[in-house]
Amino acid sequence: MKIIEPKKRIRIKDIAERANVSIGTIDRVLHNRGEVNAETKERVMKILEELDYQPNILASTLASKKTVSFAILFPEPQSDESYWNKPMNGVKQAFNELQTYGIKISVFRFSQTDSRTFAEQSAKILEEQFDGVVMAPFFSRESCRLVTELNARNIPFVFIDSDIKDCEKISYIGQNSYQSGALSAKLFDYTLPGPASILILHFAKEMDNHNHLVQREKGFYEYFRQNDPKGENKLITLEIENPSDKSFFGKVKQTMDQDGNVRGIFVTNSQVYRIAEFLEQQNLQHIRLIGHDLIRENAAFLRSGVIDFLICQRPEEQGYKAVTTLFEHVVMKKTVMNENYTSIDIITKENIDYYK
Amino acid sequence: MKIIEPKKRIRIKDIAERANVSIGTIDRVLHNRGEVNAETKERVMKILEELDYQPNILASTLASKKTVSFAILFPEPQSDESYWNKPMNGVKQAFNELQTYGIKISVFRFSQTDSRTFAEQSAKILEEQFDGVVMAPFFSRESCRLVTELNARNIPFVFIDSDIKDCEKISYIGQNSYQSGALSAKLFDYTLPGPASILILHFAKEMDNHNHLVQREKGFYEYFRQNDPKGENKLITLEIENPSDKSFFGKVKQTMDQDGNVRGIFVTNSQVYRIAEFLEQQNLQHIRLIGHDLIRENAAFLRSGVIDFLICQRPEEQGYKAVTTLFEHVVMKKTVMNENYTSIDIITKENIDYYK
DNA sequence: AAAAATTCCGTGTACGAACACGACATTTCA
DNA sequence: TGAAATGTCGTGTTCGTACACGGAATTTTT
C-alpha cells in the first residue's frame, strides 16, 4: 500500500527564523516591496531557494485584497447555439472555480465579418489595465497589432483556436489543424468503398485570412498524396463566400453533375449543416459527409444520419484551459506549456451523447 | 462588453450580526458542534438560507487542521505501461491540485486474476477510518460485500471503470460500455467494403464476472441487428481465457480458415495487441482490427497500421474526476452527479499524438 | 554639527473560519 | 435550598500571508 501525502510546508516564519530577520523583510524580498539591504536580500533569497519555499495560496489570497482581471476577446456568436458560445462556457466554468481566488473577467466581442470591430475592441482592452488577455487571433493583421501593444505594456496573453507564431504568447490552446485535415481524409479513405471524387468546401470569405482552414485543407490533400499516390481519388475544392445565401446550392449541384462520381463531401468548418440541408433536400444521402464542430444544427444532422462524422476539438475545454493557464501564469507564477494542442475527436451518431 | 464578477461574499460575521448572536453560535449551528438552543438554531438556519451563505473554503481549510484521507482500490497494473497506471496518473494529478486543501491518499492494489486479494485489500481499507473511497468494482461479488460495509460505516465512495447499480454510491465515473460496443460495430460497418465475417474476441477468464465486456459485445451485436437486419455480415465470438499463452493463435487461425471471409476483428478490451502480433506474424494486414485503450503496446500497432482504430475512454480523466468528485462531496459538500459517463473516443494513427 | 532626507526593518492588524476555553444561566438531584 | 450537572453562548487565539505604520540607523544636506 502506497500513501500519497503532501509534504510539510515551509512558512515565511520559518524562513524568517532561519535568516534571522523579521517576517516583514521576507515579505519585501518576495514582492519587491519597500527597500531591503542588498546583502540581507541575497541571504534571504538563498534560503528561500534552499528550502524551496512555496507560498500558501490559500493564506495569500485570503490576506491579499487585490483581484486579478482578465480580458477575453472572442468573436460574436451568431446565435445562442453557435460555436463561439462553447469556449465561452469553458471560460465561465473556469471563472466559477477560480472566483474564490478573486478574479474578474471582461468579455469583448468582435464581428467575424468585420475586422474593424476587432481593432475597436482591441483599443478598448488597451485602455484598461488588465492582468492578462485571452484572445482568438481571428484576423491576422489586427491581431499582430494588438500583440505588439500588449507586449509593450507587459501584459501576458494566450491564444485560443488559432495561433500566431513567434510572438511572446504565454500559450496557444487549440487544435493542430493540419493533422485534423489528415484525419478527415483518412475517414474518407477508409469508408468510401472505392475510388471516388471528394468535394472540399470552404465556407468563408477571405480564405487566406483564416489560417486554420488552409491548414485543414493542406493536411487533407497531403494524406491522399501519401496514401493514394496514383491519385485514384479526385479532390475538388470549392470556396463559398456567403454561406447564408442558398444560391451556392446551384454551384455545388453543377460541380457534382459535372463530375458524376462525387461520393464524399468535406466541409472545413462548422458550416457543414448548410450542405447537409442541401443533401437532404436533394435526397443525396448516400454521400459521405464530414465536417467540424458539434453545434446544434450539426448534431441534428449527425443524429439523422446525413452527416457521418464530425471532427471536434473540445471547445469548452479550450476556453477553460485558456483561463486557467493564464491564471497559473499570473497568479501562481508557474511556468506553463507554450503549446497546448487539444484532442482531435471523431464524433458519430453513436458517441455524440457522451461527448464533452 | 460583459463583465463577470464574483458576487459579494457573505461572512459568518454578517450572519452573526443579522441574527444577533455571536460567531461561535453560528459555528456551532454550521458544524453541529456543542449545543445550541433549538429556537436560536432555527433562526440562524433561516438566515443562513436566506442570505445563501457559502463558506470561504480558503479561510476554512486554512483554519481547520484536519485533513481528509481517501482510499483508492485499483487493480495492480501488470507493467509500467499497462492500463491501470493511467487512472492512477489522474489520481495523482487531482492530488497535486488538492494538496493545498489538506488531502491524503492511500492506494490499495489487488490482483486482476485473484478475487481473494480484492477481499484482503477491502478488509484493510475497513480497518482504517477513511473519509471516502474510490474503487474499481472489478469483481462483482466482493465489491458488493465491501459496499455493504462502507454503507454501514457511512463512508462515501465512487466507482470507476465499471458500475454496480442500486447501491448508495456517490457517483460512477466511466464509459457506457454498451454504446462503446455499438460504436465499434459502426466503424466496421462503415469501413468494410462489403458483407464479411467479423471476429469478436474476449480476452478474459470468467467473462460473466466482467460486466462491461459483456455490455460491449451486446452493443456490438445490437448495432448489426438494427443496421444489417438481413444478417449479411457474420459475427463470430471467441473467448480466450489465457491471453499470455500464445496457443490461442491456433484457435483463431482455425476459426478464420474455417470461415474464409473474416475481414474484421474486434477485441473487447485492451489486449488487442496480442492479436495484432498474430496478424503481423501471419501477414494478414488487410484485416480491419479494432480494440480498446491506448496502452503502449497498442499505440505501437496503431502507428504501424496493424490496428486501425482504438476506442478509448480517457482513463486519466476518470481517475482525476473520481478524486475531485469525492472531494467535492466530502469537503465542499456539493451535490455531485450520480453518473458521469466519460467520452467514447476514436483514436487512429492520425490523432493519437494529440489524445489526452 | 544639527537638521533633513533616505534607507532599512520590526511590529501589529487584517483576511474569514475553526475551535478551545470558560462565563453565565438554567436544570437536576440530594 | 444549596451543590452539582448540564445547557447555552461569547471571547480570544490560530492558520499563513499581505500590507500599513512608524521607529531606528544611516546618509545627505545646509
Side-chain angles (χ1 to χ4, degrees), chain B residues 67-71 129-133 154-157 326 329-330:
Chain B
T67 63
V68 292
S69 64
F70 292 156
Q129 297 289 327
F130 288 105
D131 302 300
V133 177
N154 243 320
I155 298 174
F157 54 90
L326 196 52
H329 174 85
V330 173

Side-chain angles (χ1 to χ4, degrees), chain B residues 223-284:
Chain B
Y223 176 92
F224 277 104
R225 194 150 51 147
Q226 281 179 19
N227 294 72
D228 174 22
K230 289 187 220 145
E232 294 180 337
N233 295 285
K234 199 171 140 196
L235 307 180
I236 308 164
T237 299
L238 276 186
E239 286 182 30
I240 290 154
E241 294 225 342
N242 193 347
S244 50
D245 177 5
K246 290 199 180 168
S247 68
F248 74 83
F249 280 14
K251 195 170 165 191
V252 173
K253 196 160 175 13
Q254 191 192 336
T255 311
M256 287 175 65
D257 288 345
Q258 208 171 335
D259 183 90
N261 193 30
V262 172
R263 297 279 172 76
I265 299 182
F266 174 50
V267 180
T268 53
N269 64 9
S270 66
Q271 304 297 303
V272 56
Y273 64 91
R274 302 196 186 266
I275 200 77
E277 271 173 30
F278 168 75
L279 291 184
E280 198 170 52
Q281 179 192 311
Q282 302 276 318
N283 214 18
L284 289 171

Side-chain angles (χ1 to χ4, degrees), chain A residues 317-328:
Chain A
E317 191 181 304
Q318 286 184 17
Y320 177 83
K321 277 234 167 161
V323 174
T324 50
T325 301
L326 196 52
F327 186 82
E328 282 184 358

